[in-house]
Amino acid sequence: MKKLIWLLPVAAVLVGCAGARSTVYEGERVGRATQLPREEVQLDKPILMIKGSLPPEVKVEVLGEVRANQAFYGDTSRVYASMAAKARQIGADAVVQVKVKYRVAAFAWGAPSVAGVGVKIIDAGGVDIKKLEGEWR
């Protein structure tokens, strides 16, 4: 019995670690992004959201992970709008590797959740960014 008692805290730690989230971009772990001061945020700036990566000739600065969740049922339009707002707050031009999931929330069994990596485009490398396939918000 005494041997099982020490096992409980170890199991609790392992279960807690299993829920830890991390986003990986180009082989590197990406942390949370730092918000810009309020006066520097461009509220009307269009943000490109793309499921994959930008073309390799486009040089970017990785700003950090961007996440948005919805607490109730619905389509992804609200969470994409929320993600775009969060991307503006960190100074991003685009959010790449966008993944959509549905999770259990307080008021829904299938609430949409999106996550991606916010990037600032340093050099477009001759690529017309506005013609890339993705969603602009």
Side-chain angles (χ1 to χ4, degrees):
M1 184 69 173
K2 288 182 181 180
K3 290 181 181 179
L4 290 178
I5 291 175
W6 70 267
L7 187 61
L8 290 175
V10 172
V13 168
L14 292 175
V15 168
C17 291
R21 299 180 289 188
S22 66
T23 300
V24 176
Y25 180 71
E26 293 186 350
E28 298 290 324
R29 184 173 279 169
V30 177
R32 291 261 178 189
T34 304
Q35 288 190 357
L36 294 174
R38 192 173 273 189
E39 61 274 2
E40 292 181 29
V41 176
Q42 298 176 17
L43 297 176
D44 58 348
K45 178 181 178 179
I47 303 292
L48 172 63
M49 289 185 269
I50 187 168
K51 290 185 179 181
S53 296
L54 293 170
E57 53 271 14
V58 177
K59 304 298 179 224
V60 299
E61 174 188 354
V62 176
L63 300 176
E65 181 182 53
V66 182
R67 291 184 175 270
N69 301 308
Q70 187 167 297
F72 45 85
Y73 292 108
D75 63 9
T76 57
S77 61
R78 287 185 179 162
V79 287
Y80 272 116
S82 178
M83 178 179 259
K86 289 180 179 186
R88 287 183 196 95
Q89 291 172 355
I90 65 169
D93 297 315
V95 180
V96 298
Q97 294 185 345
V98 174
K99 293 179 180 65
V100 179
K101 295 181 180 178
Y102 288 86
R103 61 185 180 82
V104 175
F107 303 106
W109 284 101
S113 173
V114 292
V117 178
V119 297
K120 179 139 190 86
I121 297 173
I122 304 300
D123 180 14
V127 175
D128 188 354
I129 302 296
K130 296 203 184 302
K131 290 185 178 179
L132 290 176
E133 191 173 320
E135 187 167 337
W136 288 91
R137 292 283 178 138

